[in-house]
Amino acid sequence: MAVCDVAIERVLNHQLMQLYNYWLSISDGGSLLPPKSSFDPVDLPKLLSSLIMVEMRQEGDGEPRVFYRLVGSNMVRNWGADNSGKYLDELTDGKFTGYLNSQYQQVAQLKRPLYWHYLLRWEDGHLSNNSRLYIPFSSEADPNRVSTIIVGQIIRHDTKILMEPMSPHVKDLEVIELDFQEF
């Protein structure tokens, strides 16, 4: 996984670029981890349906659990369910859950925005093209701990690209990682 060596404008689409610029504006240009209270959804009205708000809940000595506080309507439509109010590890198990969990844990550890671009092969064989930008926020009580992560996700389904169908279990979705960038 490499540090970004290309212009960020070439990596992010305009919606994710808007989210990234917003985060920069409330984080002193990226030098500070902004508190969750600095996030105001009113500032991003056109992006709300594509946002996911996640809480990193510390329970004991292990890594924090990923809790979906709020899931935007585009994500609900694409996922086929509203996962608001649920833990990631309660939704499914397997490779894809581990893949998503590792993304959240990495953002929490590095305390900076991260971007992933990947293809996802669904049970029926079609591919979706997924771009995700994760932006971290600190807890009010501990400004050095990531307590909330806002994810902007853009999903394009390409029904023209069909591959061999897979098992009907979500946990068996195949991830083909195309790009990873640290900003």
Side-chain angles (χ1 to χ4, degrees):
M1 299 187 193
V3 173
C4 182
D5 58 359
V6 296
I8 191 170
E9 295 83 10
R10 293 182 57 202
V11 174
L12 300 178
N13 74 19
H14 71 281
Q15 291 170 303
L16 296 182
M17 191 68 212
Q18 182 182 0
L19 179 60
Y20 181 68
N21 284 334
Y22 174 75
W23 184 84
L24 286 176
S25 74
I26 60 175
S27 67
D28 195 27
S31 63
L32 299 173
L33 190 58
K36 179 186 161 203
S37 63
S38 66
F39 176 75
D40 188 351
V42 173
D43 295 334
L44 300 166
K46 293 182 180 178
L47 295 179
L48 291 179
S49 63
S50 296
L51 295 182
I52 305 159
M53 180 181 283
V54 167
E55 292 176 1
M56 301 299 287
R57 293 191 173 176
Q58 190 65 50
E59 298 176 359
D61 294 333
E63 65 185 18
R65 288 180 74 195
V66 176
F67 181 78
Y68 289 105
R69 166 59 57 205
L70 187 62
V71 177
S73 60
N74 281 348
M75 299 301 90
V76 170
R77 188 181 75 250
N78 277 289
W79 294 353
D82 185 355
N83 295 325
S84 299
K86 299 176 183 169
Y87 283 96
L88 172 63
D89 58 13
E90 294 173 340
L91 298 174
T92 182
D93 58 2
K95 290 187 301 186
F96 189 60
T97 298
Y99 178 74
L100 287 178
N101 186 59
S102 70
Q103 290 178 349
Y104 289 113
Q105 300 303 330
Q106 193 165 3
V107 172
Q109 181 182 25
L110 294 173
K111 301 176 185 154
R112 56 199 251 192
L114 296 178
Y115 167 79
W116 275 271
H117 179 205
Y118 56 93
L119 296 177
L120 193 58
R121 182 170 58 156
W122 294 82
E123 310 84 41
D124 64 2
H126 88 273
L127 290 177
S128 64
N129 187 333
N130 298 265
S131 296
R132 288 182 135 214
L133 176 65
Y134 296 68
I135 57 172
F137 292 85
S138 70
S139 107
E140 304 294 333
D142 183 355
N144 292 314
R145 184 180 77 79
V146 173
S147 65
T148 303
I149 298 172
I150 305 290
V151 181
Q153 182 169 3
I154 307 300
I155 301 174
R156 286 191 352 245
H157 291 276
D158 190 346
T159 55
K160 294 177 186 174
I161 302 174
L162 291 177
M163 301 175 76
E164 178 181 324
M166 296 184 68
S167 161
H169 302 289
V170 173
K171 67 181 179 182
D172 294 327
L173 294 178
E174 179 183 358
V175 176
I176 304 163
E177 192 164 296
L178 301 177
D179 192 16
F180 165 82
Q181 300 291 331
E182 296 179 22
F183 299 127

